[in-house]
Amino acid sequence: MPRTLLCLLVALPVTLAAQSPPAGGWPIHSLNRPRPPVVHPGGPAVVPPPADAVVLFDGRTLDQWRSDEDSAAAAPWKIIDGAVEVVPGSGGIHTATPFGDVQLHLEWMSPTPVVGEGQNRGNSGVFLMGTYEVQVLDSWENTTYADGQAAALYGQFPPEVNASLPPASWQSYDIIFRRPRFAADGSVTQPARMTVFHNGVLVQDHVALLGPTSHMVRTPYARHPDRLPLGLQDHGTPVRFRNIWIRPLGPRP
Ligand code: MG
């Protein structure tokens, strides 16, 4: 092995570790981090919208969504069989309405035939406030770093278990999100918190996020508005979504 390459390989984990405060003691995307045990769920939790929910996608229209490439433009994804499908390369989409603390329900499906592996198999993401990602990935018999598999808080916390269903199955996320609170000087008084059920199974339990989720490096909190749009990611694979609804939450009692 050339000496320069060897130096790079030796230096890389040190550099990443230096930039990335550990979550539970683990550097970001560590391949040594234990993978959560597999728990076969009974099926997706298909929950119709309650009366006070804002229906973001009912299978018929993307009126509630905009293009990440141009917020004035309609969402460029396509509707097929009552689902919205990512159009690879078209960019992500986000809601026209901004949200803060919410309960969110959605269902998603990984594409078939299965193409790629690791992070390149059925990758998308649910971005609370456009900033905090719950990973969407085909994690059925598909190995990747633990903090990047389905229902991970990307780059920070793996799910407690892998409750994935096979590709071409509908899967559900039920998410309770509390936005971070900032002091007037921009410092964090309360971190963002996330609770996630994957196919009805608890996988994130009131977890305090370390900051915005990102790739390769953990970035610190930066003060942002109390409400921001919800985003869905175009990661180059035609993942489908359906039955997306959201309930803005009042302050915690
Ligand atoms: Mg993703």
Side-chain angles (χ1 to χ4, degrees):
M1 179 181 294
R3 185 177 169 78
T4 47
L5 181 57
L6 184 62
C7 289
L8 189 66
L9 287 174
V10 169
L12 185 61
V14 175
T15 306
L16 280 178
Q19 290 176 342
S20 305
W26 293 101
I28 193 165
H29 308 328
S30 172
L31 294 171
N32 296 323
R33 195 170 188 169
R35 289 176 183 95
V38 171
V39 171
H40 291 271
V46 176
V47 186
D52 64 352
V54 177
V55 176
L56 294 174
F57 179 67
D58 66 358
R60 289 176 292 195
T61 172
L62 288 171
D63 284 356
Q64 299 275 352
W65 298 85
R66 301 289 182 268
S67 167
D68 284 359
E69 304 290 310
D70 175 2
S71 281
W77 294 3
K78 58 187 178 188
I79 296 175
I80 300 173
D81 298 334
V84 55
E85 184 176 290
V86 176
V87 175
S90 69
I93 65 173
H94 61 270
T95 54
T97 305
F99 299 97
D101 292 349
V102 294
Q103 174 188 353
L104 171 68
H105 174 90
L106 57 80
E107 293 150 32
W108 57 273
M109 180 190 283
S110 297
T112 48
V114 171
V115 175
E117 54 187 89
Q119 291 290 303
N120 294 317
R121 183 183 297 181
N123 193 334
S124 182
V126 181
F127 282 73
L128 282 298
M129 304 192 86
T131 305
Y132 307 100
E133 183 184 11
V134 180
Q135 173 72 310
V136 170
L137 193 78
D138 177 3
S139 288
W140 178 265
E141 299 177 354
N142 179 36
T143 302
T144 188
Y145 41 86
D147 66 16
Q149 69 179 66
L153 307 183
Y154 186 77
Q156 298 186 18
F157 297 100
E160 293 191 14
V161 296
N162 181 351
S164 295
L165 288 164
S169 309
W170 283 105
Q171 308 197 49
S172 61
Y173 281 168
D174 288 278
I175 298 170
I176 300 164
F177 173 76
R178 293 290 182 178
R179 65 175 174 84
R181 266 63 176 177
F182 299 96
D185 66 0
S187 60
V188 179
T189 57
Q190 294 179 46
R193 286 194 177 267
M194 199 94 78
T195 297
V196 180
F197 293 84
H198 183 190
N199 296 322
V201 179
L202 180 66
V203 290
Q204 303 285 355
D205 184 5
H206 198 52
V207 173
L209 282 104
L210 305 173
T213 56
S214 58
H215 184 56
M216 297 294 284
V217 62
R218 295 200 178 112
T219 49
Y221 279 103
R223 191 180 181 186
H224 58 61
D226 292 352
R227 290 184 183 73
L228 287 167
L230 171 76
L232 297 176
Q233 183 184 44
D234 168 17
H235 200 283
T237 47
V239 175
R240 292 185 181 187
F241 294 90
R242 72 176 188 189
N243 189 24
I244 309 174
W245 54 260
I246 197 164
R247 297 180 62 245
L249 299 175
R252 274 173 276 207

